[in-house]
Amino acid sequence: QVQLVESGGGLVQAGGSLRLSCAASGRTFSRYLMGWFRQAPGKEREFVSAIQWITGSTSYADSVKGRFTISRDYAKNTMYLQMNSLEPEDTAVYYCAVKSTSWSTEYDYWGQGTQVTVSS
């Protein structure tokens, strides 16, 4: 069983920062790509950022470029999302996910999510 556990969410004022973590545990599994998604109340889940586990190549949604930074730590089997200059529009449940292979059409594993609330 593969487990992804997010942490680091919370309540922060606009302009503040948070750092989310996604710790992977369980049986050994392949990970080609790890990503962050978010879902705000009444909205569909949307892509935030992703990182190729081996190369470290990153991608970001336009809405977070320049404010969020994704990274990973091999030794800790953990992915991070540093979120700066937070805006009320960033309020959502944030999920981490893993795509096992480059030919996977969907993300294979998901965490339970961590709430991020940004007050104005």
Side-chain angles (χ1 to χ4, degrees), residues 7-117:
S7 61
L11 173 64
V12 64
Q13 288 188 334
S17 298
L18 284 173
R19 188 194 195 201
L20 305 184
S21 299
C22 173
S25 64
R27 65 174 178 82
T28 301
F29 64 99
S30 298
R31 67 191 82 182
Y32 165 72
L33 193 71
M34 291 191 72
W36 288 99
F37 292 77
R38 66 186 182 187
Q39 187 167 20
K43 295 187 177 180
E44 293 187 353
R45 185 169 60 195
E46 65 175 1
F47 169 78
V48 175
S49 182
I51 186 167
Q52 288 193 27
W53 190 252
I54 299 299
T55 67
S57 178
T58 60
S59 60
Y60 296 91
D62 287 342
S63 59
V64 305
K65 278 181 183 176
R67 300 188 298 123
F68 292 9
T69 302
I70 192 171
S71 61
R72 85 283 194 235
D73 185 321
Y74 286 117
K76 296 182 178 180
N77 266 338
T78 300
M79 175 179 65
Y80 303 97
L81 186 68
Q82 177 67 42
M83 305 186 296
N84 298 328
S85 302
L86 283 162
E87 303 168 353
E89 293 73 25
D90 296 317
T91 295
V93 177
Y94 283 70
Y95 301 90
C96 67
V98 172
K99 188 178 286 190
S100 298
T101 64
S102 60
W103 55 88
S104 298
T105 56
E106 297 180 349
Y107 281 78
D108 302 287
Y109 306 104
W110 291 84
Q112 294 299 307
T114 184
Q115 176 71 48
V116 171
T117 303

